[in-house]
Amino acid sequence: MQFAGYGFGRHAARFAKKQIARRLRLDLAAGGILSIRSPDITPGSTQMAATDDMKIETTEDGPFMAHHVTVRDADYVKATDGAPMTWSFGEALDVDGDTVALCRCGQSSNKPFCDGSHQDAEWDPTDAESSGESYEQRARRKQSPKDGYEMLDDTPLCMHAGLCGTAKQTVWQMMSSTDDPEVRGQVIRMVEKCPSGRLSNVIDGSIVEPALPAEVNVVPDGPLWVTGGITVTNAAGEQIETRNRVTLCRCGASGNKPLCDGTHKDIGFEG
């Protein structure tokens, strides 16, 4: 699967002309519900871009070990007022071999790669205790006044990317106006840009995801953004819920490890 979606900057531009029309169908159904359908990720489907050999392992008191995955830098595309609007993506980072160690203590001098600093660093590598519930079970549902559209919201996953609103309103404030097809389209597109998967679109009862490549994107001064359904295991070797969009803590201070909870913003993490 290649990338297909809304407004993801230079990365999407590579595929836009040939891929978007072929891979996404946008149809205004009866009553004006905007539906997004991809032949690779269908509503309710677990089929994603990752292959079986793609995996990220959280070591017990050390780095993430990423196997057979592409790692690249991501960055924010910002408006003139500095507000983030979307993403841009750089070229793949050079790595030796099929496995790369990615820092998660936050103190490597060679970020995003591990340089062994975790051995002397003061940090807590402990995983957060799992509730045992899936994303869909945990998330709150925000109803639209238009039948057929909802937004899911799992707050603890927020990495504070700031892409979930305009200069005037957030998606939560805009939901009350999503009976307007134009507003609804805006909300859907902003929800798709949420890197952590805190927010998801539900159309006609099914979670609908953008098609994303299976890779790891390094967010500046933030987490590792893992897309495309790559398998992730925690420090105990247990597989966490496989999702199309997740963010992994690399500042070393999240209370929701191995996932990011936005703490990097509070501690002024850089790298």
Side-chain angles (χ1 to χ4, degrees), residues 114-265:
C114 172
D115 68 355
S117 293
H118 59 273
Q119 297 175 357
D120 300 316
E122 294 185 7
W123 70 297
D124 183 1
T126 308
D127 287 333
E129 184 175 349
S130 172
S131 68
E133 295 179 308
S134 68
Y135 166 78
E136 195 165 0
Q137 291 170 325
R138 296 190 309 268
R140 295 173 297 164
R141 289 181 179 265
K142 182 73 173 176
Q143 301 288 337
S144 167
K146 187 65 179 181
D147 290 340
Y149 179 58
E150 300 171 289
M151 182 179 71
L152 294 185
D153 180 5
D154 188 10
T155 306
L157 297 180
C158 185
M159 63 146 283
H160 304 306
L163 292 160
C164 47
T166 67
K168 296 181 179 180
Q169 288 183 306
T170 67
V171 290
W172 296 273
Q173 295 167 321
M174 296 169 70
M175 280 297 289
S176 62
S177 301
T178 49
D179 50 345
D180 180 330
E182 184 175 346
V183 175
R184 188 164 59 253
Q186 279 186 297
V187 170
I188 287 172
R189 289 189 291 274
M190 286 189 284
V191 166
E192 286 187 339
K193 294 173 188 174
C194 171
S196 68
R198 168 188 173 173
L199 303 176
S200 295
N201 292 304
V202 178
I203 297 176
D204 296 333
S206 296
I207 294 178
V208 180
E209 281 286 307
L212 299 174
E215 62 185 26
V216 177
N217 299 289
V218 182
V219 177
D221 305 331
L224 298 173
W225 176 19
V226 182
T227 60
I230 296 173
T231 298
V232 179
T233 58
N234 62 19
E238 302 164 336
Q239 183 174 329
I240 68 173
E241 182 180 9
T242 300
R243 299 188 62 216
N244 190 39
R245 296 170 286 152
V246 297
T247 48
L248 302 178
C249 171
R250 68 184 186 99
C251 73
S254 171
N256 194 30
K257 293 185 185 75
L259 301 175
C260 171
D261 67 357
T263 301
H264 58 274
K265 290 277 191 179

Side-chain angles (χ1 to χ4, degrees), residues 45-65:
S45 171
T46 57
Q47 181 181 2
M48 300 185 201
T51 57
D52 291 341
D53 60 346
M54 294 179 175
K55 186 176 183 180
I56 299 175
E57 297 177 299
T58 307
T59 61
E60 186 173 358
D61 54 5
F64 294 110
M65 301 302 293

